[in-house]
Amino acid sequence: MNNVIEFSEVGKRYAGEKNAAVRRMSFGVGEGEFVCLVGPSGGGKTTVLKLIAGLEEPTNGIIKKPANVAMSFQAGALFPWLTAFENVALGLREKSMPEEELARTVDRQLDMLGIFQYRGKYPADLSGGQRQRVGIARALAVDPAVLLLDEPFSALDPKTTAELHDDLIQVWQRTKKTIVMVSHLIEEAVSLADRVILIREGTIDSIYKIELPYPRRENIGFHHDVMHIRKEFFK
Ligand code: ADP
Ligand code: MG
């Protein structure tokens, strides 16, 4: 498998901070792979995503990453004065895509995320789950090589989260995108990812390969994997 992302001895220290947020971190993400970063708050998960997105530069080491990376932030981070359609269209307008092609592309993304009927609605008139779907559709619309998600479902109720998990897996399998997602829930990571990377104090604590078939929560091995990682998590 080709690695689309590669960290080699990467360090990141924010200006004015005494301690590094990320220390000598090395790992790779394969093309089409779904990786979840889990770990205690403040461990450096978001920093790793920002380094992949190019929103932050490393202080040490080398990062290999594709040029076209898209990130969806918590709660979708939509523009409230734009409709769902226009929020998804945003990145394409920057690329000055012809209007007809743009409409087709946006509608396809809205349809894939199951929110086509809400295309004319403003974020305030959408539920949390629908807003998150718009945020993911917007990130996917620019056809990125890598999709980055930072705790995308943390503000949602369990039922909505479970629906979004199923749909995200479908989107991933259909688009074959490489996904790197941050989660603070081990159950979430195990129900989604090919590999779960436990990050603690700016370093990789351990990496777990999850080989269960989807849907995973119904699988007998699910709780075994969750318990196994949890033991490390609370070590
Ligand atoms: P996580 O996402 O795992 O909670 P973060 O990557 O957000 O962790 O943070 C890692 C460490 O870096 C924390 O100690 C945090 O306070 C610090 N940090 C994050 N962003 C900044 C910033 N912009 N400036 C200074 N320190 C930061
Ligand atoms: Mg974070």
Side-chain angles (χ1 to χ4, degrees), residues 14-15 17 21 39-48 50 56 150-151 182:
Y14 288 102
E17 293 296 312
S41 178
K45 304 181 296 297
T46 296
T47 301
V48 170
K50 286 181 173 171
E56 294 288 351
D150 194 356
E151 304 199 14
V182 169

Side-chain angles (χ1 to χ4, degrees), residues 36-104:
C36 258
L37 310 178
V38 299
S41 178
K45 304 181 296 297
T46 296
T47 301
V48 170
L49 278 203
K50 286 181 173 171
L51 289 167
I52 297 171
L55 296 171
E56 294 288 351
E57 289 302 316
T59 324
N60 308 99
I62 296 165
I63 299 176
K64 181 194 129 185
K65 58 184 162 63
N68 51 340
V69 173
M71 187 150 166
S72 179
F73 296 90
Q74 196 177 337
L78 306 176
F79 292 103
W81 58 87
L82 296 178
T83 60
F85 180 94
E86 286 302 331
N87 265 289
V88 175
L90 219 58
L92 300 174
R93 292 212 189 282
E94 273 167 34
K95 287 184 170 181
S96 52
M97 183 183 268
E99 196 62 29
E100 208 174 292
E101 189 187 343
L102 180 143
R104 241 184 300 126

Side-chain angles (χ1 to χ4, degrees), residues 1-6 27-36 49 52 64-66 68-71 139-140 143-149 168 171-181 194-195:
M1 194 158 49
N2 267 338
N3 277 348
V4 281
I5 300 167
E6 222 163 282
F27 70 97
V29 178
E31 193 174 348
E33 196 181 13
F34 193 147
V35 166
C36 258
L49 278 203
I52 297 171
K64 181 194 129 185
K65 58 184 162 63
N68 51 340
V69 173
M71 187 150 166
L140 285 171
D143 197 24
V146 175
L147 175 65
L148 303 176
L149 302 167
L168 181 62
V171 166
W172 171 57
Q173 288 172 339
R174 263 174 72 177
T175 61
K176 300 187 161 57
K177 295 283 178 208
T178 305
I179 300 180
V180 183
M181 173 173 154
D194 286 317
R195 274 191 306 151

